[in-house]
Amino acid sequence: MKNTQDTNQKRRQFLQKGAAVTAIAVAPGVMLHTAAKAKPVGEAVTDAVRWGMLVDAAKCADGCDACVQACNEENGLNLLQKPHDAEDEMWDQQIPKWIRNVKVKDNLTGHVTSLPMMCQHCEHPPCVDVCPTTASFRRADGIVMVDRHLCIGCRYCMMACPYKARSFVHEVVEHKLTRTPRGKGCVESCNFCVHRLDNGQTTTACQDACAKDGHNAITFGDLNNPDSEVSKALKEQSSTQIRADLKLNTGVRYRGV
Amino acid sequence: MKVRAFEHGLLLALAVVLLAMAGVASADDKAGWKSGTSLAATQEQSCVRDAAFMRRNHMEVIKHARIDTVRKGVRGVDGSLSECIACHVNKDDKGAPIPVNQEGQFCAGCHQQVGVALDCYQCHATVPTH
Amino acid sequence: MMKKIYFREWGLESRNYWMLLAVLAAVAGIGGLAALYMEHHGHWVTGMSNQIVWGTPHVFAIFLIVAASGALNVASIGSVFNKTIYKPLAPLSALLAIALLLGGLLVLVLDLGRPDRLIVAMTTYNFKSIFAWNIILYNGFFVIVGFYLWTVMDRKMKCYYKPAGVTAFIWRLVLTTGTGSIFGFLVARQGFDAAIMAPWFIVMSFGFGLAIYMLVLMDVFKRDQRPLGDAIMKKLKGLLAVFVAANLMFMVTFHLTNLYGTENHAFEAFILLNGGIYTAMFWIGQVLIGGLLPLAILFHPTLSLSRGWLTAAAVMVVVGGWMTIYVIVIGGQAFPMALFPSKTILESGFYDGVNGMASSYTPSVPEVLLGLGGVAVALVVTVIGIRMLKILPLSLADEVADPHAGI
């Protein structure tokens, strides 16, 4: 068994090296721009990248739910079926939601803002701190996610998350997508469309949908790369973290809130 | 006295249950092999390891891959479950994929035979979806 | 000089014993079926949601776990603080502690989304998590209290009696600190994030555990017609009164501390004034039934001498205690999280406290049955324990357990 594993290890390393050599030889110009973003498929993520997002609430259109719909489709949330005997309102409280629209009014000024809320991908995530089994974890590239193989469904992370970003799967899941496994009894939340990023893509479904509708309220990219669109946008103008008082250093930042 | 008799009865029942479980666990060695199969399984050379190895150790391979994939973001690894399914799924007359955990199919066939719970598909898709 | 105290198995008539056991086992069985039902369908059949993530099972579980460590106190007073009158009470105290913890943990585990993965919780630890620490503390509690019980009951183990007693006492304090810290460290929610949670849970454990201990003691002695003198009951009664008063004091401190900071006024108003069921449970359950009424009985010169009234007081402490946990755990979740301080949420796709509205929760029948099943399991273990082992003294009549002899 060890031998076969070694062989495979070598095969993998060879392929990776090959890919790297090819990339360097063929397109040094392209590399400068994209290499920091797209990671080779067969390689582990590193902290050289920190994925992050800027949401410009001023551009977020009232009544638009393109990002929510796109997320539901991308991550198979639209495939969940209401159990026969479930009541509509109760079911709506129990169905998982990764991203939602929130409309807030400033108590003093009366200014109204619409914005999407999702996992804020904290640098110091409370959900990771409280998880007894390390199922809740922060990947090297800054994505906070749940390892369903270790999740025992205790929901302590849901108690701890200051953004109410997490959902519990309350029912047996009949229809699943290969890219987003999902099953009864585990907790889940937005993972920045991790399957896309791992396969070399550099956008999230919500971002694409927002751009397609012409709002461009969501900018996504590598916060560690000063030349990325999101880093430039964040450097140019001021932005805020939700519940900045908790000092969680969120990966999702807002403007106009 | 009655208390003691009750206790002994309980122990006996426990022993019977344990023996029964042991019987199920060893069934795979003696029973005639009638597993579910797939086109890929009949062409052994296409798998990531040889068939005899996979038959016993596929879970180790898959587990290794799942840790790499979920926690480190490594995709396209050898033991990727989605690749397993992509190869081993059967198609019906109309060419539609049949779930691998359906009775007699590649995964369920063996697992039913040896009485080992098939846990993957509580969360994972049973047919390729993209 | 005290008379020698003999311990004997519970001598209840066989038919009555099996009847009692059958009833308790049936309740436990129904609880098991309820868990199976919720497990089979998923949590959508419960009243729990993505807003109220911990429901009635958790109230039962936390109550039983807190009471478990409290039940051990009677033994600790004897073994750690050398109060002779408490020594004959120690075996039942240790047994009850183990039984209550078992019942509570069973409820907690059976409510998990994936109870089949308990092995993961036992083998994969995140040491930053209070939960992970609690798993170790709970397991250790069984081992340490079990060993302590052995040193109490086996003369050959006498040399380990004192260290085992001290270890068990310290362990139980740490355990309840851990249980309280589950809530104390939740910075996200205003109803929880408070350091006082840990000591408050310890004080609660004293009261809940002692009340349950007294109820069980009085009942099993009565059923077996063993004499239980007033001397011992007076001691326990006085102790219970102190614990109930201390619990009230911690409750007042918790709310006064919150009231000091303006940011917490909305939460305080929710619990104290306009929180509907939670406000009602706070004043009627936590303050009246769990605090003032039992105090009045326990301090009353004549009522407190009656076993009936004493039982009533202890039952009130238990019921009020359960409601206290309900208000803390569920009320704390129902109050909307402050996502956007100084802003009002007008609309939300995920029930984020629109216009300050609290989340709703109605316990479902299977949740309640699971919780009661946990209580039944605790009692089954206790009943079998006292029947099979020499846990109970033959007599606790005043001339046997004279308080003036040993102190």
Side-chain angles (χ1 to χ4, degrees):
Chain A
M1 185 172 162
K2 193 167 186 309
N3 274 338
T4 37
Q5 262 183 1
D6 282 354
T7 322
N8 272 281
Q9 195 74 30
K10 278 173 190 152
R11 202 167 74 192
R12 236 180 355 242
Q13 280 168 355
F14 173 76
L15 285 173
Q16 285 157 10
K17 274 180 196 150
V21 168
T22 320
I24 291 166
V26 173
V30 180
M31 282 292 283
L32 268 180
H33 186 63
T34 59
K37 285 183 172 179
K39 149 193 95 65
V41 170
E43 242 168 58
V45 293
T46 66
D47 58 6
V49 174
R50 186 187 176 193
W51 295 110
M53 190 177 264
L54 171 65
V55 178
D56 191 340
K59 294 180 185 167
C60 182
D62 188 12
C64 168
D65 69 344
C67 56
V68 178
Q69 295 303 334
C71 175
N72 288 349
E73 271 166 43
E74 180 77 18
N75 295 298
L77 290 158
N78 59 339
L79 300 175
L80 291 162
Q81 288 166 324
K82 184 171 86 81
H84 245 350
D85 317 333
E87 289 167 39
D88 287 339
E89 205 202 310
M90 195 60 203
W91 172 244
D92 194 46
Q93 298 231 15
Q94 292 173 325
I95 193 171
K97 294 176 185 181
W98 285 15
I99 184 169
R100 78 257 193 193
N101 279 323
V102 178
K103 196 198 266 190
V104 295
K105 187 179 85 172
D106 192 294
N107 289 344
L108 183 70
T109 65
H111 181 70
V112 176
T113 321
S114 289
L115 59 125
M117 277 288 292
M118 71 296 274
C119 172
Q120 305 285 302
H121 298 276
C122 312
E123 187 189 355
H124 310 290
C127 58
V128 173
D129 285 347
V130 301
C131 176
T133 66
T134 70
S136 205
F137 72 108
R138 185 176 179 270
R139 247 168 53 147
D141 57 357
I143 299 178
V144 176
M145 51 192 273
V146 178
D147 183 345
R148 284 172 213 265
H149 305 108
L150 296 180
C151 178
I152 57 173
C154 73
R155 286 105 82 199
Y156 197 15
C157 57
M158 299 175 75
M159 293 287 277
C161 174
Y163 306 103
K164 221 162 143 285
R166 291 213 155 166
S167 293
F168 181 64
V169 181
H170 285 76
E171 68 289 337
V172 178
V173 182
E174 294 290 346
H175 305 287
K176 308 134 185 152
L177 296 176
T178 299
R179 60 176 177 253
T180 316
R182 168 174 295 113
K184 180 194 74 186
C186 289
V187 174
E188 58 181 42
S189 56
C190 158
N191 56 24
F192 276 162
C193 291
V194 70
H195 53 277
R196 288 180 166 216
L197 305 178
D198 284 350
N199 286 315
Q201 283 177 269
T202 52
T203 61
T204 63
C206 53
Q207 171 194 23
D208 286 352
C210 191
K212 193 170 162 234
D213 274 22
H215 302 303
N216 288 308
I218 301 175
T219 315
F220 177 80
D222 179 9
L223 299 177
N224 283 351
N225 177 4
D227 297 323
S228 71
E229 201 189 336
V230 66
S231 293
K232 284 188 204 157
L234 282 166
K235 196 174 180 186
E236 239 162 53
Q237 285 184 48
S238 82
S239 61
T240 49
Q241 307 176 51
I242 295 176
R243 289 300 307 268
D245 57 314
L246 297 174
K247 299 189 176 66
L248 303 174
N249 190 11
T250 57
V252 178
R253 304 291 173 109
Y254 288 83
R255 193 180 280 166
V257 177
Chain B
M1 277 304 104
K2 264 185 191 164
V3 174
R4 295 276 174 261
F6 172 73
E7 224 180 349
H8 289 144
L10 205 71
L11 272 176
L12 203 69
L14 236 157
V16 170
V17 170
L18 279 175
L19 276 174
M21 280 162 68
V24 172
S26 62
D28 66 327
D29 289 331
K30 11 183 210 236
W33 201 266
K34 251 196 325 189
S35 75
T37 190
S38 65
L39 189 60
T42 55
Q43 304 166 337
E44 278 180 16
Q45 75 281 3
S46 60
C47 199
V48 293
R49 307 275 200 291
D50 64 273
F53 178 86
M54 286 305 279
R55 216 165 272 149
R56 285 229 160 261
N57 302 299
H58 61 279
M59 196 53 221
E60 291 309 312
V61 179
I62 296 170
K63 207 167 168 181
H64 187 259
R66 108 188 172 190
I67 293 168
D68 278 356
T69 301
V70 176
R71 304 194 78 96
K72 299 178 192 155
V74 187
R75 302 271 172 164
V77 282
D78 274 353
S80 154
L81 184 64
S82 61
E83 295 297 323
C84 300
I85 295 165
C87 271
H88 287 292
V89 74
N90 286 313
K91 308 263 169 73
D92 65 12
D93 304 341
K94 291 170 200 150
I98 308 168
V100 289
N101 64 342
Q102 219 166 66
E103 206 175 327
Q105 291 302 311
F106 186 73
C107 295
C110 275
H111 274 263
Q112 279 171 346
Q113 189 105 15
V114 297
V116 176
L118 192 47
D119 206 22
C120 302
Y121 303 113
Q122 287 195 30
C123 293
H124 284 283
T126 54
V127 292
T129 64
H130 37 223
Chain C
M1 201 38 214
M2 269 174 74
K3 287 190 180 170
K4 180 139 179 55
I5 290 175
Y6 296 96
F7 292 89
R8 285 288 176 276
E9 291 91 345
W10 203 30
L12 200 65
E13 197 197 322
S14 198
R15 205 170 56 104
N16 292 349
Y17 170 70
W18 286 105
M19 279 284 283
L20 176 69
L21 210 54
V23 170
L24 290 175
V27 178
I30 291 169
L33 288 177
L36 217 60
Y37 170 75
M38 291 188 279
E39 174 52 26
H40 178 73
H41 289 278
H43 275 66
W44 72 266
V45 297
T46 73
M48 289 177 265
S49 63
N50 287 325
Q51 282 58 245
I52 306 290
V53 301
W54 286 353
T56 307
H58 300 82
V59 176
F60 273 101
I62 293 164
F63 177 80
L64 287 171
I65 291 167
V66 167
S69 55
L72 188 67
N73 254 39
V74 180
S76 297
I77 299 170
S79 59
V80 179
F81 302 103
N82 285 321
K83 301 286 183 200
T84 317
I85 189 170
Y86 287 94
K87 287 194 177 173
L89 305 177
L92 178 62
S93 166
L95 174 68
L96 205 53
I98 291 176
L100 289 169
L101 185 65
L102 193 70
L105 285 184
L106 217 53
V107 175
L108 201 63
V109 166
L110 289 177
D111 181 76
L112 291 177
R114 299 291 309 250
D116 51 318
R117 287 200 183 138
L118 190 60
I119 189 73
V120 174
M122 296 289 189
T123 51
T124 322
Y125 288 108
N126 164 26
F127 287 105
K128 249 190 127 176
S129 166
I130 301 286
F131 246 31
W133 281 104
N134 280 349
I135 294 166
I136 296 168
L137 288 170
Y138 297 151
N139 286 330
F141 189 83
F142 285 124
V143 175
I144 290 168
V145 178
F147 181 77
Y148 168 68
L149 189 58
W150 184 15
T151 67
V152 171
M153 296 178 63
D154 188 349
R155 210 167 297 176
K156 275 177 279 178
M157 298 294 289
K158 193 96 188 162
C159 50
Y160 301 109
Y161 165 73
K162 189 81 184 179
V166 173
T167 312
F169 176 64
I170 294 172
W171 196 271
R172 69 125 310 202
L173 289 180
V174 177
L175 184 141
T176 326
T177 305
T179 312
S181 301
I182 289 175
F183 301 98
F185 291 157
L186 290 177
V187 291
R189 298 185 190 251
Q190 277 177 289
F192 301 135
D193 177 30
I196 198 175
M197 283 289 179
W200 188 13
F201 267 61
I202 292 178
V203 169
M204 278 197 269
S205 80
F206 290 157
F208 304 170
L210 182 58
I212 293 176
Y213 183 91
M214 288 167 72
L215 288 173
V216 170
L217 182 73
M218 285 191 280
D219 185 68
V220 297
F221 266 60
K222 198 174 163 196
R223 280 175 198 262
D224 198 18
Q225 284 141 24
R226 297 192 193 193
L228 179 61
D230 283 333
I232 226 147
M233 291 316 290
K234 260 188 195 160
K235 284 270 174 199
L236 295 179
K237 178 195 79 181
L239 209 55
L240 185 63
V242 172
F243 293 159
V244 171
N247 182 14
L248 278 177
M249 194 199 81
F250 269 81
M251 181 197 79
V252 171
T253 313
F254 171 75
H255 287 292
L256 280 182
T257 315
N258 268 347
L259 282 168
Y260 185 76
T262 312
E263 56 168 340
N264 292 320
H265 284 185
F267 172 72
E268 283 304 313
F270 178 71
I271 296 295
L272 304 180
L273 297 174
N274 53 28
I277 179 74
Y278 306 106
T279 304
M281 271 206 175
F282 175 81
W283 289 110
I284 298 171
Q286 195 170 341
V287 176
L288 214 57
I289 300 177
L292 299 179
L293 288 181
L295 268 190
I297 296 171
L298 294 170
F299 280 125
H300 196 281
T302 51
L303 287 186
S304 69
L305 297 177
S306 138
R307 287 291 156 87
W309 281 102
L310 214 50
T311 305
V315 168
M316 282 183 203
V317 173
V318 170
V319 172
W322 188 89
M323 291 191 183
T324 303
I325 302 285
Y326 194 97
V327 172
I328 293 176
V329 174
I330 298 179
Q333 293 174 83
F335 182 72
M337 254 191 287
L339 279 173
F340 302 95
S342 76
K343 286 187 170 64
T344 304
I345 296 176
L346 300 178
E347 287 169 25
S348 162
F350 201 52
Y351 304 89
D352 294 300
V354 174
N355 293 314
M357 208 170 73
S359 299
S360 63
Y361 168 74
T362 316
S364 63
V365 175
E367 286 173 78
V368 177
L369 291 179
L370 171 60
L372 291 175
V375 177
V377 166
L379 292 177
V380 166
V381 173
T382 310
V383 166
I384 294 179
I386 57 175
R387 178 74 164 188
M388 308 262 280
L389 303 168
K390 293 177 177 169
I391 298 281
L392 300 175
L394 264 182
S395 166
L396 283 172
D398 288 353
E399 63 272 22
V400 181
D402 181 9
H404 306 295
I407 298 175

